[in-house]
Amino acid sequence: MTLREERVTLAHGGGGKAMRELIESVFLSVFAPPGMEDQARLTEAALQEPGARLAFTTDSFVVTPVEFPGGDIGKLAVCGTVNDLAVGGARPLWLSASFIIEEGCEIALLRRLVASMAAEAAVAGVRIVTGDTKVVNRGACDQVYITTSGIGVIAPGRDLDARRIRPGDVALVNGVLGDHGATILAARGDMMLSADLQSDCQSLGALMEAVLRAAPDTRCARDATRGGLASTLNELAEAAGVSVELDETALPLRPEVKGMCEILGLDPLYLANEGTLVTFVPADQAEAALAAMRATKAGQGACIIGRATEAGAVPVTLRTAFGGSRIVDMLVGEQLPRIC
Amino acid sequence: MTLREERVTLAHGGGGKAMRELIESVFLSVFAPPGMEDQARLTEAALQEPGARLAFTTDSFVVTPVEFPGGDIGKLAVCGTVNDLAVGGARPLWLSASFIIEEGCEIALLRRLVASMAAEAAVAGVRIVTGDTKVVNRGACDQVYITTSGIGVIAPGRDLDARRIRPGDVALVNGVLGDHGATILAARGDMMLSADLQSDCQSLGALMEAVLRAAPDTRCARDATRGGLASTLNELAEAAGVSVELDETALPLRPEVKGMCEILGLDPLYLANEGTLVTFVPADQAEAALAAMRATKAGQGACIIGRATEAGAVPVTLRTAFGGSRIVDMLVGEQLPRIC
């Protein structure tokens, strides 16, 4: 079906004919959800296995600009929710997608975002099974916001939890830090920066499964999104009752990101990532985890960045290249709004 | 925990300390979800029963004003998703709640909305188990938008589907039509109308269970939200391949709503409802369904409004009080934006 209009009008949110045309033409034709009721009805054998648990998560996405090098708000909305499921040890199964659209938004933009979501869902092995659209008047939103929720299944016996981190455990990441935050900053154009950067926006399910196979006693994992690696590690350290010591020389940073941070006085440890996993594994499984990560597409740049220690005066410290040590606090204030 | 600030700032969305304080103080202290990871991990025996299916639905809410007689955007976000699950035959279990908040939004308003959501979740028997908050700059949202997703369980053998409607089936609603739409219209103040109206915003789970117990062959049900009863009936008739004939004298309308519609040239059949269920049951179970509905709190005003017939020239017609007949089309254009 084709739409006569090129832009979204308030009628597209009214619950009548125009809304149905928009939904059928732009969303259903691509997502092809099971059934046409307001709810998806689903079965999955793995969920019925004794001891299996259901994982449920949600995130809203308000990034600006909505399209940026390496991704767009649609891809981000799929990756973000898939990754929240994956890092908790769940196999992602199904997503919902709800769109808040500004009157005047280009239908062509919506089509690009929906195609991007469908492509990323295929990569991640999930199905977008239900959704909603609302239209708000001009100026009451910024082009489009997307909220995805996700359901996954946690296999019996799998129990990732920040509280399982022990002193001596090794911290690993799957690649360079800060690419998403730096890319969004450059894409906004405010800073007159031109950098050949791409967001790291990617699904981490396959990477996470590889880690868990290679290092079965993996304690926990997180994707280091808003607040960056620094905030994520602070949360983990506090939950576990340990401290974390990072090795500055081991932190993987792209020279362009490092340079941009130096010019702008930003700290790359606080830049958002959208495809960066940080995980803690027992020391004797660290090499196996590292090798397994490097064998996956999303983990080619994996490296060991530090370790957990007995709880000290502060949760996270950085051992600098010069042999000193500095405190790595949680993000205070905000570094860059609407990053995701 | 108390927050120093009275209004939301961009820092509250940054992923750092301020965000954590906002989330702990405003959301977690009330919703008390299980665990503190980015995902809820859940088990439910009913989901593991052979033949049980999982229902999954989502809706974004952008209603303005965010507080109105009879409810607010928080209560609406709980009821809307609970009702999508319930009318599909699922028992609602868990909700996620994701907030897009405008910079400058009053923290006190957020607290009221969260309290309202928790209260309605308790009434509906669901738990709010996971969530997210994003903050956008002033002018990029209108106070607050809420997206809820819901998971429910459909008992083995239960199969509500619009395609099951047969000629001769009877259509029932649980009470007066159009209260929500009329209330929002009056609450906006644009029309200088003062009416003693309240939104019908309510959870329909208990009502739906009562219908299914009393009328086990119930074909299907829907909540008649955006687009009103008229649009809902058109969708059902088209899906089922039948026509629907409404009886004008049987339609339950409050005199205030009727009066407002006459003044403004609106048709109450297109006004949104947020606690109004329309269901089709076999004729021989209609009286039982009606009695069961009237015995519940949400169904005291229940009545039979029409019946399904063999597919005719148009999907939905209204037999008028004067013995004539008029076409009841789907909503064309939009009657009132941002109603839910």
Side-chain angles (χ1 to χ4, degrees):
Chain A
M1 185 191 279
T2 54
L3 282 171
R4 283 180 304 272
E5 296 85 352
E6 287 180 7
R7 292 178 180 272
V8 174
T9 67
L10 286 174
H12 287 120
K17 279 188 179 169
M19 185 174 94
R20 209 166 113 182
E21 277 174 22
L22 177 78
I23 290 175
E24 286 180 3
S25 165
V26 176
F27 299 99
L28 297 184
S29 60
V30 178
F31 293 149
M36 281 289 301
E37 308 269 328
D38 267 349
Q39 60 173 232
R41 294 158 180 181
L42 306 156
T43 54
E44 164 66 33
L47 266 178
Q48 301 210 317
E49 211 180 313
R53 286 180 295 167
L54 180 149
F56 187 25
T57 184
T58 193
D59 266 313
S60 291
F61 295 86
V62 298
V63 65
T64 179
V66 294
E67 298 180 293
F68 46 81
D72 54 56
I73 192 172
K75 181 179 179 186
L76 201 57
V78 171
C79 292
T81 292
V82 162
N83 292 348
D84 276 349
L85 291 171
V87 301
R91 179 162 62 85
L93 297 172
W94 303 303
L95 299 190
S96 66
S98 192
F99 296 78
I100 298 173
I101 306 168
E102 185 183 12
E103 178 190 12
C105 176
E106 284 184 23
I107 305 260
L109 169 65
L110 288 183
R111 288 194 196 279
R112 290 198 299 278
L113 298 178
V114 165
S116 169
M117 294 178 80
E120 190 60 29
V123 168
V126 296
R127 281 163 65 210
I128 297 168
V129 294
T130 189
D132 183 44
T133 57
K134 290 290 183 322
V135 179
V136 296
N137 38 307
R138 213 177 283 267
C141 155
D142 196 351
Q143 291 187 287
V144 58
Y145 299 149
I146 304 176
T147 301
T148 45
S149 300
I151 296 176
V153 57
I154 305 173
R158 184 176 284 183
D159 188 26
L160 301 180
D161 190 320
R163 287 169 295 189
R164 295 178 64 228
I165 302 173
R166 295 284 167 268
D169 287 349
V170 171
L172 301 97
V173 295
N174 63 314
V176 290
L177 301 171
D179 280 10
H180 180 73
T183 301
I184 297 299
L185 193 58
R188 287 197 194 156
D190 306 339
M191 302 295 180
M192 305 289 275
L193 292 168
S194 75
D196 190 19
L197 280 172
Q198 284 214 337
S199 166
D200 61 337
C201 176
Q202 62 184 335
S203 297
L204 296 171
L207 176 78
M208 190 64 202
E209 288 299 322
V211 170
L212 290 168
R213 267 196 307 274
D217 295 319
T218 295
R219 311 303 196 193
C220 70
R222 288 287 170 89
D223 53 336
T225 55
R226 272 187 292 182
L229 182 70
S231 300
T232 301
L233 287 175
N234 269 278
E235 284 182 11
L236 292 176
E238 196 177 301
V242 299
S243 283
V244 173
E245 193 180 83
L246 293 174
D247 176 0
E248 187 175 32
T249 59
L251 293 177
L253 288 172
R254 220 179 276 285
E256 298 89 328
V257 173
K258 216 167 168 175
M260 186 188 286
C261 285
E262 275 166 12
I263 293 169
L264 300 174
L266 298 173
D267 184 336
L269 286 178
Y270 296 94
L271 282 183
N273 312 280
E274 288 296 340
T276 296
L277 176 127
V278 52
T279 183
F280 280 83
V281 301
D284 60 0
Q285 296 179 8
E287 285 304 323
L290 186 63
M293 287 168 91
R294 287 186 175 163
T296 68
K297 185 160 172 263
Q300 287 168 25
C303 53
I304 291 171
I305 57 165
R307 61 198 79 267
T309 64
E310 296 289 344
V314 291
V316 185
T317 53
L318 181 76
R319 184 184 294 266
T320 67
F322 308 105
S325 178
R326 75 170 170 89
I327 295 171
V328 178
D329 204 351
M330 275 195 86
L331 177 64
V332 176
E334 42 86 29
Q335 203 176 37
L336 191 60
R338 296 182 55 196
I339 196 76
C340 60
Chain B
M1 185 192 278
T2 54
L3 282 172
R4 283 179 305 273
E5 297 86 351
E6 288 180 8
R7 291 178 180 272
V8 174
T9 67
L10 286 174
H12 286 121
K17 278 186 179 169
M19 184 173 95
R20 208 163 115 183
E21 277 175 22
L22 177 78
I23 290 176
E24 287 180 2
S25 166
V26 175
F27 298 99
L28 297 184
S29 61
V30 178
F31 292 147
M36 281 291 300
E37 307 268 329
D38 269 346
Q39 61 173 232
R41 293 157 181 181
L42 307 155
T43 54
E44 163 66 33
L47 265 178
Q48 302 211 316
E49 210 181 315
R53 286 179 299 165
L54 179 148
F56 186 25
T57 184
T58 193
D59 266 313
S60 290
F61 295 86
V62 298
V63 66
T64 178
V66 294
E67 297 180 295
F68 47 81
D72 54 55
I73 193 171
K75 183 180 178 187
L76 201 57
V78 171
C79 292
T81 291
V82 161
N83 292 349
D84 276 348
L85 292 172
V87 301
R91 179 161 62 84
L93 297 171
W94 305 302
L95 299 190
S96 66
S98 191
F99 296 79
I100 298 174
I101 306 167
E102 186 182 12
E103 178 191 12
C105 177
E106 283 184 23
I107 304 257
L109 169 64
L110 288 183
R111 289 193 195 280
R112 290 197 300 278
L113 298 178
V114 165
S116 169
M117 294 178 80
E120 190 58 31
V123 168
V126 295
R127 282 163 65 209
I128 296 169
V129 294
T130 189
D132 183 45
T133 57
K134 290 290 182 324
V135 180
V136 295
N137 37 306
R138 211 177 285 265
C141 154
D142 196 353
Q143 291 186 286
V144 60
Y145 299 149
I146 304 177
T147 301
T148 45
S149 300
I151 296 175
V153 58
I154 304 173
R158 182 174 287 182
D159 188 25
L160 301 180
D161 190 320
R163 287 169 295 188
R164 295 178 62 228
I165 303 173
R166 295 281 168 269
D169 287 349
V170 171
L172 300 98
V173 295
N174 63 313
V176 290
L177 301 171
D179 280 9
H180 180 73
T183 301
I184 297 299
L185 194 58
R188 287 196 195 157
D190 306 339
M191 305 292 179
M192 304 291 276
L193 294 169
S194 75
D196 191 18
L197 281 172
Q198 283 214 340
S199 167
D200 62 336
C201 175
Q202 61 185 335
S203 297
L204 296 171
L207 176 77
M208 190 66 203
E209 287 299 323
V211 170
L212 290 169
R213 267 195 308 273
D217 296 319
T218 295
R219 311 301 194 194
C220 70
R222 287 288 169 90
D223 53 336
T225 55
R226 272 187 292 181
L229 182 69
S231 300
T232 302
L233 286 176
N234 269 278
E235 284 183 9
L236 292 176
E238 197 178 301
V242 299
S243 282
V244 174
E245 194 180 81
L246 294 175
D247 176 1
E248 186 175 32
T249 60
L251 293 177
L253 287 172
R254 219 179 277 287
E256 297 91 325
V257 173
K258 218 168 168 175
M260 188 188 285
C261 283
E262 276 165 12
I263 293 170
L264 299 175
L266 297 173
D267 184 336
L269 287 177
Y270 296 94
L271 282 182
N273 312 281
E274 288 295 341
T276 296
L277 176 125
V278 52
T279 183
F280 281 84
V281 303
D284 61 358
Q285 296 180 8
E287 285 304 323
L290 186 64
M293 285 169 93
R294 286 186 175 160
T296 67
K297 185 161 175 261
Q300 288 167 22
C303 53
I304 291 172
I305 56 165
R307 61 199 77 263
T309 64
E310 296 289 344
V314 292
V316 185
T317 53
L318 181 76
R319 184 184 295 266
T320 67
F322 307 104
S325 177
R326 73 169 171 91
I327 295 171
V328 178
D329 204 353
M330 278 196 84
L331 177 65
V332 177
E334 41 87 27
Q335 202 176 40
L336 192 60
R338 296 182 58 195
I339 196 77
C340 59

